[in-house]
Amino acid sequence: MNKMVERSVRDTKDMLPVASPVQQDDHPQSLFLDPDVGDLQSGSRLRGAILEYSGRGISGWIVDAQSPASTVSIALFVGSHCVEEGRTGRSMPARVGPRSVIGRPGFRIDLSAPGVRRRLARALRNALVEPKRAQIYLRISLNDGEYYEIPLFENYTPGELIVALGFSTADYDDLLFPSNNRIVAGLADAPPKEVRYICFYLPQFHSFDENDRWWGPGFTEWTNVARMRAQFPAHESPWLPADLGFYDVRLPETRRQQGELARQYGIDGFCYYVYWFQGRRLLEKPLQLLLEDGEPNLPFCICWANENWSRRWDGSDAELLLGQNHSLDDDVRFIDDMADLLLDERYITVDGRKVVVIYRPSLLPDKQRLFEIWRERARELGIGELLICNAMTFGEFDPRDVNCDAAIEFPPHTVSTREVPPTEVDAPPTFAGKVYDYVDAMRSSIGKIYDFPFFPAVMPRWDNTPRKGPRGHVFTRSSPEAFEVWLRDATLRAKGNSFSESLVFINSWNEWAEGAHLEPDSRHGRAFLEVVRRVASAEPISAQIRNSPDLLDCLSRQELEWAVKEASTHVEVLASLHRSGLTHSGVQRVRSGTPVEAEGASGNPAGSLLVIENINSQTGERVIVDPRYEILVRGWICAGNAFEASRQRTGFLVLSGLTPDGAANGGYCLIVDWHERVDVKEYMKAESKDCYFGFQLSFSIRDLPDGEYQLAVLEVGDGTSALVRSRHSIIVRR
């Protein structure tokens, strides 16, 4: 089962019960679809019917015969891609004559919503590459963990399937501009509403007595980060702190630098985790110092991490270190103990109400009475009104179910994504963790809305191998470009919510041991911070996205038109590549020979520099590669004075053989992920006319003979070309 999908199942406003009752003592074979469906193994467990399945929507009713009054989770899948999720409505008991019955719990998956439409189009384009595998089915998940997969549209040809789902066959002729993409206004045209960006903040970067006893003297999260190792070839590990170093949050200079960095890049505040156990506080030092010396001088709010403290750091009670013994008598004291924070003039409010986040409110007994006491006590203390929010974790999404006022998305809990098979990333047998697709997770969140008040949230990446080693969970294909697409969409969703002002949460500012940090690191510098600054400043779509073929179809038609105006040459190149199928999977095939643009190119012009940061996550200058697997190369280049400071250029990665006949045996491929490296430019203290461009690309070398090949980059633009060579090479060895 795909646990990530299960975790993101949610109620939707369209899922209303239908009228027909189901008798509780009558549980015949399930009536899904037609009677001739022979592979449905539901036995007498399920009963229901699909009343409509078309391009407008899929609706019907489903009941769990063993628990008729419970709701059932529904998810629509195309192949391995989850398009939309939901639940049946709440069943209402009734009587018909002398018999006791229960209302049929109805559901409806609305396929006309723009966000769902776009996810469906994307999933269909992927699935129709192999029509035999283009299975469309409903996954019915029951409360005890059982699930059933009900096939839809089984006897349709691919062409008929497209039409049945409300598309035209012409919609798939142009992969760059799918005509059913959602159309949204840009940030400049969005309804005027203040959106603030709030980062979750982990106060685990200082030593304290309990940690010394449990983990060893001097333990902090830096201990985990320092010992991490790559778990498979494409694993971006390790990463180390850059600008701020291995800091200690007890130092006012460290916290001042954090505040300055956050303000510089558009972060409006921090949401500090609070660890409070029946009046006993852990990791309280940063918040205590925040009140004493004022650093970081930034708005803030708190999130009560009200779980047990265990060695696993994942909400599990295994290896319990400090337990939460929740009771109404104890929990009512929480507001009094937090009063000094809530009374601070910097505390974050929404519509005049102080934001208090509860990580898992379902663990609190008598929540309704507890929150009533909190609100009354907050008024007595002069704090004012509270906006109590639940983090959307562990399937507990709807704030109405836990007596809260609003919900806050909390990725990765709120995403659906493909689990990547270990063989796909060449993971060794020692790796017992999970690998997920970040881009797929990002796509599952785009356009997502709920029928309750909520604040959207995003994550820059996720990788908890620093804590769990080979048992960790890793999201591959994370990048500043994909993060920007996600953050732009979250901003638009925040502007459309029910509050007069809104927040977008980011998970997080400094979760270094989960790989979910915005603070500068040794791999990406300030690239993720730069994304926040660009989106917060309502700047146009970055060149990084325009030159990333795997992200272009995440954008609306209007956003793509802006991209065309900014870089029409590059979009034409990408469109050609899309249609030829070379980059549909994100992996190119190296072409033999050299590009024609290499003729007459200047070699290593004055001031030029090519830096290969890593090859398959290895930093050596000579890397042995196996031609059976794809190669991943990352780096950056400055072509010196060969070009003006313009983004209108094309790049090729050139592989030149180091044998006498190596030129004939070499190859090249197009650089499609081409982005400005502001962090490198700042580090080099370059002048404004100097250009530093980063790149990354995956390519196949199956046709290259064994031997050693030097790497170079050919830049072409404005009638000029320059070939810049590096000292790095790959050694192809079968």
Side-chain angles (χ1 to χ4, degrees):
M1 296 177 64
N2 188 336
K3 297 297 183 183
M4 301 303 293
V5 171
E6 280 193 326
R7 212 175 263 176
S8 62
V9 168
R10 59 185 175 84
D11 293 329
T12 65
K13 63 181 178 181
D14 295 318
M15 297 189 175
L16 302 175
V18 294
S20 302
V22 175
Q23 298 175 4
Q24 294 191 59
D25 56 352
D26 185 17
H27 309 307
Q29 173 74 20
S30 173
L31 299 179
F32 280 111
L33 300 181
D34 299 318
D36 61 352
V37 178
D39 60 347
L40 177 59
Q41 301 296 325
S42 61
S44 61
R45 181 72 189 267
L46 297 180
R47 187 182 182 188
I50 305 285
L51 305 178
E52 174 195 4
Y53 48 104
S54 68
R56 295 183 301 275
I58 299 175
S59 63
W61 63 272
I62 299 174
V63 66
D64 178 2
Q66 295 183 13
S67 181
S70 63
T71 60
V72 172
S73 301
I74 314 287
L76 174 64
F77 275 79
V78 177
S80 62
H81 296 271
C82 180
V83 175
E84 181 65 330
E85 314 105 322
R87 279 185 176 270
T88 56
R90 299 183 185 277
S91 304
M92 299 299 295
R95 299 190 66 83
V96 176
R99 310 191 71 173
S100 175
V101 299
I102 190 165
R104 290 181 175 179
F107 73 91
R108 176 174 175 78
I109 296 179
D110 185 5
L111 297 182
S112 63
V116 179
R117 207 78 189 140
R118 194 143 109 297
R119 292 196 294 273
L120 178 60
R122 167 72 183 181
L124 283 172
R125 284 198 299 277
N126 288 339
L128 291 176
V129 173
E130 301 180 67
K132 293 182 180 179
R133 300 177 60 187
Q135 298 177 346
I136 301 181
Y137 57 92
L138 290 179
R139 175 173 290 180
I140 316 300
S141 301
L142 308 180
N143 290 338
D144 61 1
E146 291 290 330
Y147 70 89
Y148 303 92
E149 294 179 346
I150 312 302
L152 304 173
F153 304 102
E154 285 193 290
N155 300 319
Y156 285 68
T157 66
E160 292 172 337
L161 178 61
I162 291 172
V163 174
L165 288 172
F167 294 99
S168 164
T169 53
D171 293 330
Y172 297 90
D173 293 338
D174 188 345
L175 295 177
L176 186 61
F177 293 102
S179 62
N180 283 278
N181 243 359
R182 66 188 179 97
I183 299 176
V184 298
L187 292 178
D189 299 324
K193 178 185 285 191
E194 180 185 358
V195 175
R196 289 171 287 168
Y197 299 90
I198 311 300
C199 292
F200 287 101
Y201 184 104
L202 181 68
Q204 173 68 304
F205 297 94
H206 66 91
S207 61
F208 58 97
D209 292 341
E210 288 82 359
N211 257 4
D212 289 346
R213 290 198 306 271
W214 293 332
W215 307 93
F219 175 88
T220 71
E221 282 284 44
W222 296 129
T223 310
N224 289 326
V225 173
R227 67 189 178 196
M228 70 181 298
R229 297 294 183 269
Q231 300 296 322
F232 45 84
H235 186 198
E236 286 192 340
S237 171
W239 53 77
L240 299 173
D243 299 34
L244 300 178
F246 291 95
Y247 56 74
D248 187 322
V249 293
R250 292 172 295 188
L251 301 177
E253 180 63 24
T254 291
R255 288 177 283 111
R256 180 165 57 251
Q257 289 174 339
Q258 287 180 323
E260 292 171 352
L261 195 63
R263 281 191 299 272
Q264 180 182 352
Y265 286 93
I267 303 298
D268 295 282
F270 292 150
C271 181
Y272 292 86
Y273 290 113
V274 171
Y275 300 88
W276 189 87
F277 300 81
Q278 298 83 51
R280 178 181 177 183
R281 294 177 64 175
L282 297 182
L283 298 172
E284 75 282 2
K285 198 67 174 180
L287 280 170
Q288 177 185 337
L289 294 173
L290 171 68
L291 297 179
E292 292 177 1
D293 60 30
E295 297 296 346
N297 187 16
L298 202 69
F300 69 93
C301 60
I302 58 173
C303 173
W304 183 15
N306 64 313
E307 293 183 311
N308 292 329
W309 189 293
S310 70
R311 287 188 180 273
R312 292 189 178 180
W313 286 79
D314 61 355
S316 167
D317 289 343
E319 300 183 79
L320 186 65
L321 298 175
L322 184 60
Q324 282 281 11
N325 301 313
H326 287 296
S327 69
L328 182 62
D329 291 340
D330 283 330
D331 293 341
V332 293
R333 297 187 289 132
F334 179 76
I335 289 298
D336 285 78
D337 283 6
M338 299 296 122
D340 53 350
L341 296 168
L342 292 164
L343 287 167
D344 192 280
E345 60 182 9
R346 295 166 295 179
Y347 200 91
I348 293 171
T349 64
V350 170
D351 295 347
R353 303 166 69 182
K354 301 289 180 71
V355 176
V356 176
V357 186
I358 313 297
Y359 187 65
R360 296 192 66 179
S362 62
L363 301 179
L364 303 173
D366 198 0
K367 293 176 286 298
Q368 182 175 355
R369 178 57 182 152
L370 174 64
F371 293 159
E372 288 175 356
I373 296 174
W374 280 9
R375 297 180 197 283
E376 181 180 352
R377 187 60 181 152
R379 298 185 192 104
E380 293 174 354
L381 295 172
I383 294 170
E385 298 299 321
L386 301 181
L387 185 70
I388 302 175
C389 304
N390 64 287
M392 297 169 67
T393 58
F394 300 99
E396 302 162 3
F397 290 0
D398 194 330
R400 296 167 296 191
D401 293 339
V402 287
N403 302 103
C404 289
D405 302 313
I408 297 173
E409 288 184 327
F410 202 88
H413 289 272
T414 45
V415 300
S416 303
T417 186
R418 179 176 71 96
E419 184 175 335
V420 180
T423 55
E424 193 171 313
V425 294
D426 197 24
T430 54
F431 180 69
K434 299 284 187 180
V435 180
Y436 299 104
D437 189 320
Y438 178 92
V439 174
D440 199 35
M442 176 269 292
R443 293 181 192 280
S444 75
S445 295
I446 289 180
K448 206 168 193 177
I449 58 173
Y450 308 88
D451 65 336
F452 48 75
F454 78 101
F455 299 110
V458 298
M459 65 180 185
R461 49 207 154 169
W462 179 271
D463 180 346
N464 63 4
T465 56
R467 286 180 181 164
K468 295 193 171 185
R471 297 181 297 107
H473 289 189
V474 180
F475 279 73
T476 62
R477 294 210 298 160
S478 62
S479 66
E481 297 82 25
F483 177 59
E484 180 174 342
V485 172
W486 197 350
L487 188 61
R488 285 184 181 276
D489 180 80
T491 300
L492 290 172
R493 290 194 292 142
K495 291 184 176 182
N497 69 10
S498 58
F499 299 99
S500 62
E501 54 185 343
S502 194
L503 311 175
V504 170
F505 283 82
I506 300 174
N507 184 24
S508 67
W509 174 257
N510 63 343
E511 280 278 11
W512 284 86
E514 292 179 346
H517 53 274
L518 281 183
E519 289 180 328
D521 68 22
S522 57
R523 287 187 171 271
H524 294 279
R526 298 187 179 189
F528 285 93
L529 282 170
E530 182 63 28
V531 167
V532 181
R533 185 203 62 76
R534 195 158 48 240
V535 176
S537 303
E539 293 184 6
I541 300 161
S542 64
Q544 293 96 316
I545 296 177
R546 294 197 299 268
N547 295 335
S548 180
D550 201 36
L551 299 177
L552 283 175
D553 64 350
C554 292
L555 305 177
S556 68
R557 178 181 292 275
Q558 183 174 354
E559 289 168 333
L560 283 169
E561 289 173 352
W562 292 343
V564 171
K565 292 177 183 178
E566 292 291 325
S568 58
T569 302
H570 290 281
V571 173
E572 289 172 5
V573 172
L574 292 172
S576 175
L577 285 169
H578 264 284
R579 295 188 181 101
S580 67
L582 285 176
T583 60
H584 184 72
S585 65
V587 178
Q588 298 187 58
R589 175 179 56 83
V590 169
R591 299 184 179 185
S592 61
T594 57
V596 294
E597 292 86 349
E599 297 181 8
S602 58
N604 292 332
S608 63
L609 181 62
L610 171 60
V611 174
I612 303 297
E613 293 178 314
N614 58 75
I615 302 170
N616 286 350
S617 297
Q618 299 183 49
T619 57
E621 291 187 357
R622 301 173 74 240
V623 176
I624 299 175
V625 297
D626 187 336
R628 293 176 300 174
Y629 305 103
E630 288 78 29
I631 311 301
L632 178 64
V633 175
R634 292 185 175 89
W636 56 268
I637 183 173
C638 174
N641 55 14
F643 293 92
E644 295 294 329
S646 168
R647 299 182 182 182
Q648 303 297 323
R649 63 188 70 194
T650 302
F652 297 89
L653 182 69
V654 180
L655 290 75
S656 301
L658 295 180
T659 58
D661 59 345
N665 294 332
Y668 70 97
C669 51
L670 179 68
I671 296 175
V672 290
D673 183 359
W674 188 260
H675 50 275
E676 186 177 8
R677 287 290 294 267
V678 178
D679 56 328
V680 175
K681 186 174 181 178
E682 292 178 353
Y683 178 80
M684 301 292 287
K685 301 187 182 301
E687 299 179 3
S688 59
K689 64 181 180 63
D690 295 324
C691 309
Y692 291 83
F693 284 88
F695 61 88
Q696 69 175 27
L697 70 161
S698 297
F699 55 94
S700 170
I701 58 170
R702 293 178 186 272
D703 298 329
L704 277 183
D706 285 6
E708 186 170 0
Y709 298 85
Q710 185 182 28
L711 302 183
V713 169
L714 175 67
E715 281 197 44
V716 181
D718 302 325
T720 305
S721 58
L723 183 66
V724 185
R725 300 185 182 277
S726 77
R727 294 178 297 180
H728 285 71
S729 62
I730 60 173
I731 301 172
V732 180
R733 181 178 299 171
R734 286 173 170 78

